[in-house]
Amino acid sequence: MAKAPVHKLGQMIGEFIEKHFEPQLSQICTQRQLYLDVVGKERTARRGKKVSWHDNYGNKHDLDFVIERGGSDAVLGVPVAIIEIAWRRYTKHSKNKAQEIQGAVLPIAEKYKYHKPFLGAVIAGDYTKPSITQLNSCGFATIYFKYEDIVSAFATVNVDIKYGEKTPDDVAQKIVVALEKLSFSQYEQVFQKIVELSDKEVSSFKEKLIAALDRQVQQIIIAPLYGANNTFPTIDDAINYLDNFDAELSSIGAELMKIFVQVRYSNGDNISGEFSSNEFASDFLMSIVK
């Protein structure tokens, strides 16, 4: 069954934004030897062309962009950033889309909470302020490409993409045909104009992403339930302390109940965990190194 012209038009604009945002991420990943997985990419480490990850309950979530540390075409790495792209023409759908993004991303973020991946959302079209606030409150960094800016950008290549719910099929079809005739360089020109019109948001988003990817361990805090906090400048020092933890317990005649560990990073991120033994705490720290 053929798609309605208005539906196809919306899909084309959404795919255009996703395709042209990819190079913005590729450059950042290449500089850091990180793997960028995208929809449509052939990869032996997963099935099909979807970027699918499973949560703690085995449920599958399809994502747009996942940046991995230690990943390759053949090996699935650790997700260090998850970024979704979403186009919506009408504000009445924006809150639902925000919830849809959260539903796809947050379960994966929870599974990899000890790696605290960066969460990003690039939303375009018509979104209400509460829907954007909702994403930000859940830990997402956002870029909002406004509908009127996208219309202005396409006008630079003489294409009027203005449409609404009541746009006739023949009018929507003419816009679809006009978009199909655009060259790759024209699409690049349009996207660069969109980025230019949202320069502050794009720059802020990239700064937050880079800060998350480049973060360094500042301090590790280890707090056994029975005693005072112990702080260390590196993970190696913290693991060495844990390796000799049993001897310390014996010398003071104490029984360990729980170990609290917190890793503090240079970008303000904190990753915490509570463990029943020094071995589990060491494993936690080693997983962060990996």
Side-chain angles (χ1 to χ4, degrees):
M1 184 175 178
K3 293 177 181 176
V6 169
H7 178 75
K8 183 176 181 180
L9 176 55
Q11 187 176 44
M12 288 178 71
I13 296 172
E15 290 176 351
F16 149 72
I17 293 170
E18 185 174 316
K19 180 178 180 180
H20 286 267
F21 191 74
E22 182 183 337
Q24 305 272 327
L25 300 176
S26 294
Q27 184 178 12
I28 292 172
C29 292
T30 300
Q31 292 170 344
R32 290 160 178 79
Q33 297 183 313
L34 299 171
Y35 187 87
L36 176 63
D37 200 6
V38 302
V39 176
K41 187 176 187 176
E42 295 283 358
R43 186 182 183 190
T44 56
R46 56 168 168 73
R47 293 182 179 180
K49 295 185 177 182
K50 291 185 177 180
V51 181
S52 300
W53 288 72
H54 291 84
D55 61 25
N56 284 322
Y57 304 99
N59 301 310
K60 185 173 72 172
H61 300 264
D62 294 331
L63 307 169
D64 291 329
F65 295 107
V66 176
I67 298 175
E68 301 171 18
R69 195 178 304 281
S72 67
D73 284 342
V75 177
L76 207 61
V78 173
V80 291
I82 304 169
I83 300 168
E84 290 291 283
I85 309 287
W87 158 266
R88 279 296 177 270
R89 174 61 186 89
Y90 316 112
T91 55
K92 66 181 182 181
H93 296 147
S94 64
K95 190 171 180 64
N96 289 340
K97 188 59 185 178
Q99 292 171 340
E100 184 182 321
I101 291 171
Q102 291 169 224
V105 174
L106 294 183
I108 306 303
E110 171 62 23
K111 181 176 181 178
Y112 293 93
K113 63 183 179 181
Y114 290 152
H115 298 279
K116 201 174 180 62
F118 170 89
L119 308 181
V122 180
I123 54 179
D126 286 313
Y127 280 81
T128 61
K129 190 172 181 179
S131 64
I132 299 172
T133 300
Q134 180 176 321
L135 285 169
N136 291 334
S137 69
C138 292
F140 285 82
T142 57
I143 298 174
Y144 179 24
F145 294 138
K146 298 179 179 65
Y147 173 69
E148 56 268 25
D149 288 344
I150 295 172
V151 170
S152 296
F154 273 101
T156 64
V157 292
N158 300 312
V159 176
D160 183 0
I161 65 161
K162 290 194 293 289
Y163 74 96
E165 282 184 291
K166 297 182 180 179
T167 298
D169 281 353
D170 61 328
V171 174
Q173 182 60 32
K174 287 179 181 178
I175 302 174
V176 168
V177 171
L179 291 178
E180 289 175 337
K181 290 181 179 179
L182 292 179
S183 66
F184 182 79
S185 62
Q186 286 176 307
Y187 271 118
E188 279 192 322
Q189 177 184 326
V190 171
F191 190 76
Q192 288 307 313
K193 184 63 177 179
I194 293 172
V195 169
E196 178 187 319
L197 292 170
S198 302
D199 179 60
K200 287 185 179 179
E201 284 195 47
V202 173
S203 296
S204 175
F205 182 93
K206 285 184 176 180
E207 286 172 6
K208 291 174 183 176
L209 172 60
I210 289 170
L213 298 179
D214 292 350
R215 69 189 183 190
Q216 299 293 319
V217 172
Q218 272 194 333
Q219 187 180 61
I220 303 98
I221 297 174
I222 298 178
L225 184 60
Y226 69 86
N229 291 357
N230 297 274
T231 60
F232 306 92
T234 70
I235 286 179
D236 285 342
D237 290 337
I239 291 175
N240 183 59
Y241 168 78
L242 290 168
D243 286 344
N244 296 286
F245 200 50
D246 288 336
E248 181 181 326
L249 287 174
S250 299
S251 66
I252 63 175
E255 180 181 353
L256 177 67
M257 302 299 292
K258 189 181 295 183
I259 304 173
F260 170 82
V261 180
Q262 183 180 76
V263 180
R264 296 182 175 179
Y265 288 94
S266 54
N267 69 330
D269 282 347
N270 294 324
I271 303 177
S272 303
E274 292 186 351
F275 306 94
S276 60
S277 72
N278 51 333
E279 289 85 0
F280 290 151
S282 293
D283 290 344
F284 160 68
L285 291 174
M286 285 304 299
S287 73
I288 289 177
V289 173
K290 293 177 183 178

